[in-house]
Amino acid sequence: MKTSLLRTESLVKRYGGILVTDGVSLDIRPGELHAIIGPNGAGKTTLINQLSGELLSNDGKVIFSDIDVTALPIHRRAQMGLLRSYQITSIFEEFTVQENAVLSAMGAKEHAFRFWQPMLQRKELVRAAHDALQATSLICRKNVPAKDLGYGERRQLELAMALAAQPKFLLLDEPMAGMSVQESDAVVSLLKRLKGRYSILLIEHDMDAVFALADRITVLVYGKVMFSGTPEEIRNHPEVRAVYLGEEEI
Ligand code: ATP
């Protein structure tokens, strides 16, 4: 049996008396694309924030690469390769697509940006940025200032920036939100290509995308794991169908 790359043990986040995540235990293996689904307010974004380090947990553990990262801040987790899209640097509007990707690659490697050294002369960073822009099909837009990108392209740039940071594990919170059908199809194709090369945790409301991509799916309801299983097991799980999927054809 493969050991897990990211594991949580009874993770809890509460606000006052409200338990938003309530003893969540997950086990995500290297190379797996794991989707979290659940109704609005189930605690999905809160859980991803607990994994990235944006939120510290009230109880439970986050174990990444066999290291207990529960108390580590966001940048330490990112340096270890546990990375949420858009977290390393936000987009600099006046910078080109390529410069944004290079900055992200730089941010992952270094504590402080070395602005006194022209960044496009840093070969290893330019290479990482180039690979990320190629993977996200943004390479032909590399010299365009970020402010001139369309909405879908900006979301692709966020993904490219995450990839340029050379993560081991990508946390993606609704990467297709607000995209046109064509744009979200492009992201599904991209995630299919990335599958296996990275471990990915995906929160997504688009069930077609989830069932096309996921190796395993966890259903979260009222902050608790209702069930984890393969897409086939989720499809055939009577309780999941009743509570969450309803009669939706999946
Ligand atoms: P959606 O699918 O709508 O994005 P979600 O599953 O991602 O929802 P969360 O955004 O994690 O759910 O929120 C879960 C619950 O926690 C919600 O009821 C929300 O109101 C509550 N909540 C989130 N953040 C806070 C906060 N800072 N203080 C109090 N309650 C909060």
Side-chain angles (χ1 to χ4, degrees), residues 131-197:
D131 290 349
L133 294 176
Q134 199 128 46
T136 49
S137 309
L138 274 179
I139 196 75
C140 55
R141 305 281 279 158
K142 71 175 189 173
N143 294 321
V144 174
K147 64 177 163 41
D148 294 338
L149 296 180
Y151 178 81
E153 288 179 323
R154 289 179 72 83
R155 304 296 314 260
Q156 270 172 284
L157 178 57
E158 284 173 4
L159 264 173
M161 288 167 73
L163 294 180
Q166 298 177 288
K168 285 189 199 138
F169 199 113
L170 265 178
L171 302 166
L172 301 177
D173 192 356
E174 297 195 50
M176 293 102 165
M179 287 190 169
S180 68
V181 174
Q182 287 86 345
E183 286 167 344
S184 47
D185 285 350
V187 174
V188 170
S189 307
L190 165 64
L191 293 180
K192 275 186 181 155
R193 292 199 300 276
L194 298 180
K195 252 185 83 156
R197 280 165 59 194

Side-chain angles (χ1 to χ4, degrees), residues 58-123:
N58 296 107
D59 211 344
K61 283 186 184 170
V62 181
I63 313 285
F64 180 61
S65 287
D66 294 324
I67 296 167
D68 186 340
V69 300
T70 316
L72 294 187
I74 191 164
H75 67 277
R76 293 281 308 283
R77 297 187 201 192
Q79 279 164 0
M80 291 170 70
L82 176 58
L83 190 70
R84 183 172 178 167
S85 158
Y86 76 69
Q87 84 185 35
I88 285 235
T89 50
S90 36
I91 294 175
F92 286 90
E93 300 296 332
E94 302 297 328
F95 285 19
T96 65
V97 164
Q98 182 188 30
E99 286 164 344
N100 271 291
V102 170
L103 264 181
S104 185
M106 196 189 286
K109 295 235 172 307
E110 292 154 18
H111 293 284
F113 293 137
R114 287 200 248 156
F115 278 118
W116 62 89
Q117 190 173 10
M119 61 180 174
L120 296 185
Q121 286 177 18
R122 304 275 304 277
K123 284 207 173 64

Side-chain angles (χ1 to χ4, degrees), residues 224-237:
K224 281 186 196 285
V225 173
M226 171 181 268
F227 185 70
S228 282
T230 63
E232 205 46 39
E233 288 167 332
I234 295 284
R235 255 192 207 104
N236 296 323
H237 194 284

Side-chain angles (χ1 to χ4, degrees), residues 15 18 20 38-47 174 205:
Y15 292 106
I18 302 167
V20 176
N40 289 336
K44 304 181 294 295
T45 297
T46 303
L47 177 62
E174 297 195 50
H205 283 285

